[in-house]
Amino acid sequence: MSAQRSARRRAKDALLGYALVLPSLVVFGVFVFYPFVKNFSLALHRTPPFPGLPKKYVGLDQVKDVLSSSEFHKSLRITIEFVMLTVPVGIVLGLLLAVLAHKQLRGMGIYRTIFSSTVATSVAAASVIFWTLFNPQIGLVTYWMGRSGDLGVLEDPKTALIAVAVTTVWQNIGLSFILMSAGLQGVPDDLYEAAAVDGADGARRFWHVTLPMLSPTLFFSAVVGSIMAFQAFGQIDILTRGGPDDATNVLVYSIYEDVFRAGNDGVAAVKAIALFVIVLILTIVQLRVAERRVSYAR
Amino acid sequence: MRLAGRYLLLSVLALIVLFPIYITVVNSLLRPDQIASRPPGLFPTDPQWGAYKEAWEGGHIGRYMLNSAIVTTGIMVGQVLLAILAAYAFAFLEFPGRGFLFVVFLTTMMIPFEVVFFTNYQTIADLGLLNTYGGLILPFLATGFGAFLLRQAFLTVPGELRDAAALDGYGHWRFLWRVAVPLARPTVAALSVFAFLSAWGQYLWPLIVTDDDRARTVQVGLAQLRREALNDINVTFAGVVLASIPLVILLLAFQRQLVRGLTAGAVKG
């Protein structure tokens, strides 16, 4: 009797389990896995030159064409440049602010709130603000650089990507500061005391205690920051629309243009798969290192 | 002396970080000719509040903020609810394929939205949901990250509590809402604040699935305001200030939860 009852109970529990995960699974199925798999089919079919004609199966031809095209190489190079321009600077700035504001001193709460404040901006708000700052007629940055009336920094292919990067770094300062501060809080005080007893001064304590103890946070921020930078879109769309002369045409922006300007989702799918592979590699590196660290801790 | 130096450095850095925000507020209170004048005015001697009314009504920022509020709330509530349900199943129920399904949830974290957005656009268009709240909300209802975090929180609920609840005749549903969720409240709060922050700031998706005022969100509205309000740039600045108010409130009122949400991965990593 009771065995029967517990069997029935187990069946009921299992049914409830499926029912509870089902809503999420449906959303994932429709909006994550289906479009993900669809990319591979899109990549194997060429979009016809005129709408209305059937798509043509071309095997890996399109994949090879896109991956070997100079347009794709340029876009990938610009994206990597953008990552290099934003991620290291963002981490160093966040770390600097966090270290300075870490001491328990009078008024530190105000500084912490200020340094976190850019979290309350959005990509679009930050981009609109910096667009006006960079504007050749009314922009203060151009005015202070003595470039008023000249070619604006956003119109100059040599400076446009840097300007987009500055906007991005500023918008992410709050996040970087918060992450670094949380990391600093995880460093035990007795390590500093021990270092002080050993006669280490401030700079030595920073290099030999803070930095090593913070390495997991730094590493995590570098990987997550890179993944975020590889996905950048809003600041490009608002500041430069990929220009001038494709100087800021990062990967996601070029995917957007392929689909919504050129109507070519085949080419877009190949680039999207490339973006996925890049993010996947970064994620795996992050997981591997985190795993190794866990086993050290034991 | 070294203390004074530290404060000086902190203050200079604070000024640099704050400057773009400060100049935005100032410019929203200046007349366009004052903004363009050289040397620039850095202080509103005669604040003009008209730009706010113009942004709210003429620039449709009022309507866009309402749209954003509805969409953001929908995403936040949906994400947290669906994550709670799934996390409960993964933490407390046994069923064949549980481990596999959990891996499926984790896998979704490796597929960025930027890889799938154009096919999702087609799906939403096929469903007839362009320019609707549903079209803006649906793709973001489920979160692998949220389900993962909440499962971790649920796993810390002591076994004795479950036994005691079972003795009291609590079924799963009552145990979930009366015991498990209240105990996981810090995680639920962090997840909610994080969901709000990211949903409010979305740009790419609302840009492509809305092309009129019915559902357009405030972030896209800001970009539009900048394009259209060239002659009265102060209105654009007022729009930026208005659109940032909800996030400022979020930051001030839920700083702790926000920090928890943002660092959820980092502290473990």
Side-chain angles (χ1 to χ4, degrees):
Chain A
M1 257 319 259
S2 105
Q4 212 177 20
R5 192 180 292 164
S6 85
R8 198 186 300 158
R9 188 194 193 105
R10 269 212 298 277
K12 253 181 85 179
D13 273 13
L15 222 56
L16 179 64
Y18 293 125
L20 293 182
V21 296
L22 189 66
S24 293
L25 276 183
V26 170
V27 175
F28 288 147
V30 176
F31 293 108
V32 180
F33 294 115
Y34 160 69
F36 178 73
V37 173
K38 178 100 187 280
N39 274 343
F40 292 92
S41 145
L42 288 172
L44 299 177
H45 291 80
R46 230 187 261 283
T47 308
F50 304 104
L53 295 172
K55 289 190 175 183
K56 195 170 153 225
Y57 176 81
V58 292
L60 289 174
D61 281 4
Q62 179 168 244
V63 177
K64 285 181 202 148
D65 286 354
V66 174
L67 293 185
S68 62
S69 72
S70 62
E71 186 229 340
F72 174 72
H73 291 167
K74 185 174 180 191
S75 167
L76 194 61
R77 204 187 62 232
I78 290 168
T79 313
I80 293 171
E81 269 176 46
F82 179 71
V83 172
M84 302 315 280
L85 282 171
T86 52
V87 178
V89 178
I91 289 176
V92 170
L93 280 178
L95 181 61
L96 173 70
L97 298 179
V99 168
L100 284 172
H102 184 57
K103 269 228 173 96
Q104 290 301 329
L105 292 171
R106 199 185 254 280
M108 278 308 149
I110 298 169
Y111 290 111
R112 283 194 204 113
T113 303
I114 291 175
F115 296 152
S116 318
S117 65
T118 73
V119 168
T121 65
S122 60
V123 170
S127 304
V128 170
I129 293 172
F130 276 77
W131 183 84
T132 48
L133 288 174
F134 291 138
N135 185 285
Q137 275 83 44
I138 59 166
L140 290 177
V141 170
T142 32
Y143 172 69
W144 285 329
M145 284 169 68
R147 286 181 58 151
S148 285
D150 287 6
L151 193 60
V153 282
L154 293 170
E155 282 84 48
D156 184 343
K158 285 201 284 290
T159 52
L161 193 66
I162 297 171
V164 175
V166 168
T167 309
T168 307
V169 167
W170 179 78
Q171 205 247 326
N172 287 330
I173 276 185
L175 176 62
S176 184
F177 170 74
I178 288 173
L179 291 180
M180 294 303 151
S181 296
L184 281 182
Q185 262 156 31
V187 182
D189 283 339
D190 44 348
L191 277 183
Y192 287 113
E193 282 154 25
V197 168
D198 287 348
D201 59 8
R204 298 252 311 257
R205 282 205 294 273
F206 176 78
W207 289 107
H208 295 286
V209 178
T210 310
L211 223 45
M213 289 303 288
L214 222 53
S215 66
T217 306
L218 294 172
F219 183 75
F220 173 88
S221 303
V223 174
V224 173
S226 303
I227 291 176
M228 276 168 58
F230 268 107
Q231 298 166 6
F233 173 82
Q235 57 272 61
I236 314 289
D237 188 54
I238 292 175
L239 289 169
T240 61
R241 307 206 135 207
D245 194 22
D246 280 342
T248 60
N249 199 352
V250 294
L251 208 46
V252 174
Y253 198 80
S254 79
I255 294 174
Y256 165 80
E257 291 213 302
D258 286 336
V259 177
F260 292 96
R261 301 244 186 282
N264 195 332
D265 50 9
V267 171
V270 178
K271 293 180 182 172
I273 294 168
L275 175 65
F276 165 74
V277 171
I278 293 169
V279 171
L280 183 70
I281 292 171
L282 286 168
T283 312
I284 290 172
V285 169
Q286 150 78 6
L287 289 175
R288 275 282 163 79
V289 173
E291 216 166 69
R292 199 185 313 154
R293 196 164 287 124
V294 169
S295 60
Y296 278 149
R298 280 185 196 137
Chain B
M1 207 44 223
R2 291 191 56 184
L3 202 59
R6 183 186 279 255
Y7 275 112
L8 185 68
L9 190 54
L10 276 166
S11 301
V12 169
L13 291 167
L15 281 180
I16 295 173
V17 171
L18 268 188
F19 178 75
I21 295 173
Y22 173 78
I23 202 69
T24 301
V25 175
V26 168
N27 282 353
S28 73
L29 298 171
L30 294 175
R31 291 190 314 271
D33 61 282
Q34 291 175 308
I35 296 174
S37 75
R38 293 290 175 263
L42 294 177
F43 192 77
T45 41
D46 175 25
Q48 311 276 318
W49 296 93
Y52 284 88
K53 189 163 181 286
E54 182 54 30
W56 188 263
E57 288 167 5
H60 303 257
I61 291 296
R63 171 70 203 223
Y64 298 152
M65 282 187 66
L66 175 71
N67 290 343
S68 278
I70 292 170
V71 171
T72 302
T73 308
I75 291 176
M76 180 180 74
V77 172
Q79 271 194 7
V80 172
L81 187 67
L82 261 58
I84 285 176
L85 297 182
Y88 187 84
F90 288 130
F92 294 117
L93 296 167
E94 274 178 36
F95 49 96
R98 185 176 71 169
F100 169 74
L101 286 174
F102 188 59
V103 171
V104 168
F105 269 60
L106 295 183
T107 310
T108 63
M109 286 197 264
M110 295 187 187
I111 303 176
F113 187 72
E114 286 71 12
V115 168
V116 294
F117 72 95
F118 46 95
T119 298
N120 285 345
Y121 169 83
Q122 198 55 53
T123 304
I124 289 297
D126 292 345
L127 291 170
L129 290 176
L130 294 179
N131 288 310
T132 65
Y133 296 135
L136 286 164
I137 295 171
L138 269 180
F140 304 99
L141 278 183
T143 144
F145 172 68
F148 171 76
L149 274 190
L150 276 165
R151 173 182 169 271
Q152 303 285 94
F154 285 160
L155 286 177
T156 63
V157 174
E160 301 91 71
L161 264 176
R162 290 176 62 190
D163 298 342
L167 279 179
D168 282 346
Y170 274 41
H172 283 295
W173 199 246
R174 257 212 302 173
F175 178 70
L176 167 62
W177 295 111
R178 298 269 181 87
V179 182
V181 169
L183 283 174
R185 212 166 44 198
T187 306
V188 173
L191 191 63
S192 307
V193 174
F194 183 70
F196 188 99
L197 185 73
S198 29
W200 185 268
Q202 272 189 20
Y203 181 78
L204 171 57
W205 185 244
L207 176 74
I208 59 178
V209 298
T210 64
D211 57 17
D212 64 29
D213 286 2
R214 274 176 289 168
R216 176 169 294 153
T217 63
V218 74
Q219 306 301 333
V220 180
L222 286 182
Q224 174 186 304
L225 200 59
R226 189 222 71 194
R227 276 199 306 277
E228 292 173 358
L230 255 186
N231 296 322
D232 25 35
I233 192 81
N234 52 338
V235 175
T236 304
F237 286 110
V240 171
V241 174
L242 288 170
S244 306
I245 289 173
L247 294 185
V248 172
I249 294 173
L250 190 79
L251 180 69
L252 294 179
F254 299 103
Q255 196 162 9
R256 209 152 38 100
Q257 288 80 358
L258 185 68
V259 169
R260 256 187 74 101
L262 291 174
T263 51
V267 179
K268 287 265 168 205

